């Protein structure tokens, strides 16, 4: 179904002449990976020739809208979500691709709108959780150079600090260990966090005793 938004005079690329045009929205069904996706696209209609044509930007937007709906239906991460995961750990597109054992431009393609398959979506979903990323990091850090390792370590420290601060502020459980003991003591000294509950692991007991 087509719904006109405005009428105008302009060149029809099919008629190759100045004609009466309208610009509006049109319901369409696109097939993405053998799956039918309904979209509403913006399109020109030649009122003289009774046919439709697209502005290149509108046509690209139509497909990107269909890709977004396809990802949503199939539980795939959107491009901005992949970018958010990458930036969470301070990695470049190439570094994250190497870290995951993929081709160097793979992440660039996904962040630019290409649809990832489920085999690539699963590890991205997993490393969205910091604990999963850390486990994978221990196994894959040799794939990264020293600069990327420093960036990851810095971002992981910041994530842990924010997590600990949130636990203190909200009165949730937190783990005591050597790496966070200094921050814990600082938080205890500057605020009323008496309802926070420390989880004293064996490492934490050693840290508290030092």
């Amino acid at each position: 179904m087509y719904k006109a938004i405005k009428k105008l005079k302009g060149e029809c690329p099919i008629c190759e002449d100045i004609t009466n045009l309208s610009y509006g929205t049109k319901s369409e069904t696109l097939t993405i990976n053998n799956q039918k996706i309904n979209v509403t696209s913006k399109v020109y209609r030649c009122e003289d020739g009774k046919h439709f044509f697209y502005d290149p930007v509108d046509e690209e937007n139509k497909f990107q809208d269909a890709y977004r709906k396809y990802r949503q239906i199939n539980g795939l991460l959107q491009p901005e979500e992949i970018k958010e995961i990458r930036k969470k750990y301070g990695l470049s597109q190439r570094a994250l691709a190497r870290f995951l054992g993929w081709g160097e431009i793979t992440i660039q393609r996904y962040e630019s709108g290409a649809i990832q398959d489920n085999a690539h979506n699963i590890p991205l979903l997993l490393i969205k959780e910091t604990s999963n990323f850390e486990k994978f990091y221990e196994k894959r850090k040799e794939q990264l150079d020293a600069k990327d390792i420093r960036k990851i370590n810095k971002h992981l420290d910041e994530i842990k600090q924010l997590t600990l601060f949130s636990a203190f502020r909200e009165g949730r459980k937190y783990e005591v260990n050597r790496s966070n003991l200094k921050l814990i003591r600082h938080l205890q000294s500057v605020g009323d966090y008496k309802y926070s509950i420390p989880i004293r692991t064996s490492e934490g007991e050693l840290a508290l005793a030092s």
Side-chain angles (χ1 to χ4, degrees):
M1 179 183 293
Y2 174 72
K3 181 180 180 181
I5 298 174
K6 63 179 180 180
K7 295 185 177 182
L8 64 155
K9 280 278 190 180
E11 183 177 356
C12 172
I14 299 173
C15 297
E16 297 183 340
D17 198 2
I18 302 299
T19 64
N20 295 306
L21 305 177
S22 64
Y23 181 69
T25 58
K26 183 173 179 285
S27 299
E28 296 186 64
T29 300
L30 303 181
T31 301
I32 309 295
N33 293 337
N34 297 317
Q35 188 170 341
K36 294 188 181 301
I37 306 294
N38 297 321
V39 295
T40 300
S41 56
K42 292 182 178 179
V43 63
Y44 287 93
R45 184 175 189 268
C46 176
E47 301 298 340
D48 296 343
K50 307 300 182 186
H51 44 247
F52 296 95
F53 63 92
Y54 292 93
D55 176 274
V57 174
D58 288 338
E59 187 166 26
E60 175 64 20
N61 288 340
K62 174 184 71 174
F63 283 102
Q64 290 302 326
D65 184 36
Y67 294 159
R68 291 189 70 83
K69 289 185 177 180
Y70 175 86
R71 293 189 198 94
Q72 186 177 14
I73 291 169
N74 292 281
L76 301 177
L77 290 165
Q78 300 289 355
E80 66 273 14
E81 293 177 303
I82 296 174
K83 184 177 181 179
E84 184 178 337
I85 292 169
R86 176 174 63 80
K87 287 187 171 292
K88 177 180 179 179
Y89 303 113
L91 290 170
S92 67
Q93 293 173 333
R94 289 178 180 271
L96 179 56
R98 288 198 303 271
F99 177 67
L100 293 170
W102 301 344
E104 288 198 345
I105 65 169
T106 304
I107 297 297
Q108 179 185 348
R109 289 179 55 249
Y110 293 159
E111 288 187 10
S112 298
I115 298 175
Q116 69 273 26
D117 57 27
N118 201 46
H120 278 182
N121 193 66
I122 290 173
L124 287 168
L125 276 172
L126 285 172
I127 66 170
K128 187 176 181 179
E129 294 295 327
T130 306
S131 58
N132 291 332
F133 179 88
E134 288 179 305
K135 293 173 185 176
F136 204 61
Y137 177 48
E138 289 304 313
K139 297 178 181 179
R140 299 284 300 179
K141 65 168 58 177
E142 70 277 2
Q143 304 298 321
L144 301 168
D145 58 32
K147 181 180 178 182
D148 288 325
I149 289 174
R150 286 195 299 271
K151 285 183 178 179
I152 290 175
N153 290 338
K154 178 176 180 291
H155 280 73
L156 286 177
D157 284 344
E158 290 173 352
I159 291 168
K160 289 176 183 177
Q161 289 177 12
L162 287 171
T163 301
L164 181 61
F165 180 75
S166 295
F168 264 71
R169 185 178 56 191
E170 298 167 13
R172 292 186 284 104
K173 292 182 179 181
Y174 62 90
E175 181 178 338
V176 179
N177 54 52
R178 291 185 183 277
S179 65
N180 66 14
L181 181 60
K182 184 176 180 180
L183 179 60
I184 288 171
R185 285 176 171 164
H186 171 70
L187 290 173
Q188 288 172 334
S189 70
V190 298
D192 181 10
Y193 298 113
K194 61 184 178 182
Y195 297 111
S196 299
I197 306 168
I199 302 172
R200 297 192 178 184
T201 60
S202 56
E203 182 186 351
E205 293 292 350
L206 290 172
L208 289 168
S210 61

